[in-house]
Amino acid sequence: MDISESLPLQNGSPAVGNPCVPQAGYDDIAAGAQVVISDTDGETLAVGELRDGYLQDGPGGSAFFQSVCEYPFIVSRIPQGEKFYAVHIGNTNRGERNYTQAQLEAGEIALSIGG
């Protein structure tokens, strides 16, 4: 099983398409940061990494007022059969989100940090 998603992150630069520059306190969220998939016991099942991020229009449709920085990622060779999969990116204070196998396979991953 593989997953491929984007991680949105608030960024103050208003120009859509510009490379993401981590704000103070978010320097652990950048290209090359690990994306860790674990089971319910906390055992690591698979690891990927964030790719280069670029500024996109936010939910409000305007990059100037509500921009997001999206970091795409792919995690390959995730073992199947777990009830839930925890997805973690960044330092230990960031926490994790849990998803079912069906959600991972359908690409229903939505992680956000900040704002």
Side-chain angles (χ1 to χ4, degrees), residues 31-43:
Q34 285 191 335
V35 178
V36 179
I37 309 298
S38 304
D39 63 16
T40 55
D41 294 325
E43 294 294 320

Side-chain angles (χ1 to χ4, degrees), residues 15-62:
V16 170
N18 280 354
C20 296
V21 177
Q23 295 177 345
Y26 295 96
D27 55 352
D28 59 314
I29 306 296
Q34 285 191 335
V35 178
V36 179
I37 309 298
S38 304
D39 63 16
T40 55
D41 294 325
E43 294 294 320
T44 299
L45 300 174
V47 177
E49 66 180 40
L50 296 180
R51 295 183 178 176
D52 290 332
Y54 295 95
L55 196 62
Q56 305 294 323
D57 282 336
S62 170

